[in-house]
Amino acid sequence: MCARLTSIDGVSSSVRRPGYLPEEHGIGIVHIGVGSFHRAHQAVFTDDALAQHGGDWRIAGVSLRSKEIASALNTQNGLYTVIEKGHVNSAADSTARIIAAIDHVIAADTEATLSMLCDPGVRIVTLTVTEAGYGIDRESRLPDRSNSLIVADLANPANAVGVLGLLVESIYRRRESGIEPFTIVSCDNLPANGEFLRDGVVGFSRSAYNDELANWIKDTVAFPNSMVDRITPAPTIETYKDAERLTGCEDKAAVETEPFIQWIIEDTFPSGRPKWEAGGAVFVDDVAQYERMKLTMLNGTHSMLAYSGYLSGSACVRDVMQDEHLSRLVQRHLQAAAELLQPVPGVDYGEYASALTDRFSNPSIAHQTFQIASDGTEKLPQRIFQPAIKALNANTDIRPFAYAAAMWMRFCLQRLDDGTTYDLNDPRANEISQAVKGVGQDGFSLADAIHALPDFIPHELSESRPWRECVAEVLTFSLCEGCVAAVTREATMYAAMRNTTVGEIPLGDTEPVQARLRS
Ligand code: CS2
């Protein structure tokens, strides 16, 4: 039995170690939401920046709910293993490195969190709390008053437990004590994530404090937008076993991830920042185009394949890519999404699609379709509905998006074709279950029930006859013939449209995609 990872002394010599002494660097960042994505992404960039450029940029983590990860990391003095798994499905293609960027993690403790956030050394707050974690209304971008946490925090901001309350109370306290505000970086998959969070924070301060503070935050605090990317499945027992095998130490905070990593950030950090360029971060004036590309191509395709795949028996993304019909639908979705994007200098959407196909196919990464299928009401607006509206306006094919939305609606029934049931992980799960009760096998009734949910499907779509018909038709077929048949039919229709036969590989439109698929 291996000893617990508490220092790098016991780590196998073949494993990459931090290129700096952690105790020589102070804390400069508070990160809220210390899940596996943060540990595989921002913490890795920070580790590289510390190794190459030094500075007081270590991270204090905040876990808003779970005490588990805080306890695992604190026991290990913040150390943990990142396992990168390449395309060869063998131990030889896995590499491990130890990350020392996290100093400690505070779990579900308002005063400790506020006191850390008010530390004058803290100059940046980063967040990965998921799309659902902000408590900001998507339309108005104000605090969502249907969220009980927001209501409680608005009434008692000094004891806040949610993201907006903690940020605003700490900005308020810092200002009272004459401490400069920190820069706030949202790292969740939301369009214009920085602006979205800024509006939520300003709205919260206006309601819970006063206009003066709200206007000061608006004028003074920086909220750079950022696009983050690294496919990171939830760690499993196998992850911990792999970490132990590779490092020789027991590690209960290990994460596994793909080799690819990307962070594109707007360079607005008035109080300084780590040189995240050391890990390959790219600083730009405007992130919007990159964000749209990632949200609609990677994440949109992910959502489509998660619902279609889970309902038709593919547990992981890699299984989807092995399935002739599902992988064809992946190509269709990538292409449909790419066609709606404005050109970006230096970016070839064909190459991007091809790289995504490769990443999704990584046989060493067991990325569960059920994991991606969670929180559909938070993900679909930017991933599926926005591009669908664009397609409607451009008079191009809406079917790929209508199909994805229909498969999500089918998923909302919480049962597979063989009657197996599952939970709907979604902030609006109760409302959805009520709405779809009694729709039986009628695709039109199911589509009507979901379209009637308030503040969800944009009116451009719910009032569009072609959209409504396409969604209802896909649903009716999947309910009558089953989800495998629905996937097969959809892929066959696409193949026919592209003038290929099923079994032939559909070629993308650009030369790099064609070359890749031919090889
Ligand atoms: C996924 C993302 O779970 C999901 O919804 O689409 O987490 C995806 O893996 C990441 O955005 C990749 O960077």
Side-chain angles (χ1 to χ4, degrees), residues 2 4 113 153 195 198 206 208 227 234 295 308 328 422 438 445 473 487 504 519:
C2 291
R4 191 77 181 261
T113 304
D153 283 0
E195 287 156 41
R198 183 199 56 212
R206 206 175 291 289
M227 181 269 243
L295 283 174
S308 303
R328 194 173 284 267
Y422 51 85
S445 304
E473 188 259 345
V487 166
E504 226 175 71
S519 64

Side-chain angles (χ1 to χ4, degrees), residues 257-392:
T257 187
E258 61 173 346
F260 182 89
I261 187 163
Q262 189 174 38
W263 198 3
I264 304 187
I265 320 168
E266 289 173 359
D267 202 358
T268 324
F269 290 81
S271 328
R273 61 165 174 84
K275 285 230 179 295
W276 282 316
E277 293 91 337
V282 175
F283 287 86
V284 297
D285 290 339
D286 184 1
V287 146
Q289 303 281 10
Y290 302 96
E291 199 175 57
R292 226 165 277 139
M293 169 181 88
K294 196 238 165 180
L295 283 174
T296 57
M297 290 184 70
L298 189 159
N299 298 117
T301 307
H302 247 179
S303 288
M304 182 285 294
L305 72 81
Y307 301 118
S308 303
Y310 185 75
L311 290 168
S312 63
S314 288
C316 293
V317 177
R318 64 185 179 196
D319 308 327
V320 163
M321 301 308 286
Q322 289 293 312
D323 180 286
E324 173 193 1
H325 301 293
L326 285 167
S327 63
R328 194 173 284 267
L329 294 179
V330 165
Q331 297 308 325
R332 174 177 79 161
H333 201 96
L334 286 171
Q335 191 173 343
E339 275 165 11
L340 297 167
L341 296 168
Q342 300 289 322
V344 183
V347 177
D348 179 323
Y349 294 129
E351 276 174 20
Y352 185 64
S354 166
L356 290 178
T357 306
D358 239 34
R359 291 170 62 197
F360 292 169
S361 306
N362 187 334
S364 324
I365 298 283
H367 199 191
Q368 306 279 325
T369 46
F370 194 70
Q371 180 188 337
I372 303 169
S374 67
D375 293 344
T377 56
E378 292 287 331
K379 294 175 177 173
L380 262 52
Q382 59 278 14
R383 297 182 180 199
I384 303 297
F385 302 154
Q386 285 315 314
I389 293 170
K390 265 199 195 167
L392 264 183

Side-chain angles (χ1 to χ4, degrees), residues 398-425:
I398 54 162
R399 188 163 183 105
F401 308 105
Y403 167 78
M407 292 314 263
W408 170 72
M409 294 178 195
R410 170 66 190 80
F411 181 81
C412 288
L413 290 180
Q414 297 182 59
R415 61 174 157 78
L416 299 176
D417 287 332
D418 67 4
T420 309
T421 57
Y422 51 85
D423 286 337
L424 190 61
N425 296 327

